Amino acid sequence: MHEEPQVPNYGKPGQGVLLKRGLCLAIEPMVTQGAHEVKTLKDGWTVVTVDGKLRRISKHTVALTDEGPRILTLRENDYLEHDDVVLYRPKEEVAA
């Protein structure tokens, strides 16, 4: 999910978009085998590394609610979920 406002995952602390209730974020970290420089292909969507080395992108959509962040894209067998995520999940949340 991509919607305004765009919230970059870099910058100076306290200088970015205010994260508040009602905001949905697409969190998309990229891990690369080589350099960090990337480019977007002509399709306007596909991102590859400039040096052509392997890369991995993981995505989750998170809604900011009155009860805290709610991960909307969890699967029951989401083996990449960090153990600490349970500390931030509302008790009534279930896997999507």
Side-chain angles (χ1 to χ4, degrees):
M1 177 164 115
H2 296 268
E3 62 181 40
E4 294 297 330
Q6 295 295 313
V7 181
N9 62 351
Y10 57 88
K12 296 180 181 179
Q15 300 296 312
V17 175
L18 179 63
L19 303 182
K20 58 185 179 179
R21 180 179 47 88
L23 185 66
C24 284
L25 303 168
I27 299 175
E28 305 177 70
M30 179 187 290
V31 178
T32 64
Q33 184 182 35
H36 70 275
E37 292 87 3
V38 296
K39 65 180 178 181
T40 303
L41 299 183
K42 290 180 184 179
D43 64 10
W45 186 258
T46 306
V47 176
V48 298
T49 56
V50 172
D51 61 13
K53 294 197 175 178
L54 295 176
R55 51 98 176 116
R56 168 73 159 89
I57 299 174
S58 296
K59 298 183 181 187
H60 272 298
T61 300
V62 179
L64 304 183
T65 72
D66 287 333
E67 294 79 34
R70 180 176 176 151
I71 303 170
L72 303 176
T73 48
L74 287 180
R75 301 176 304 248
E76 275 200 41
N77 296 321
D78 198 342
Y79 61 92
L80 296 176
E81 183 178 57
H82 190 279
D83 293 339
D84 288 345
V85 78
V86 72
L87 301 173
Y88 305 101
R89 185 181 303 126
K91 290 179 182 174
E92 72 279 358
E93 183 171 15
V94 295

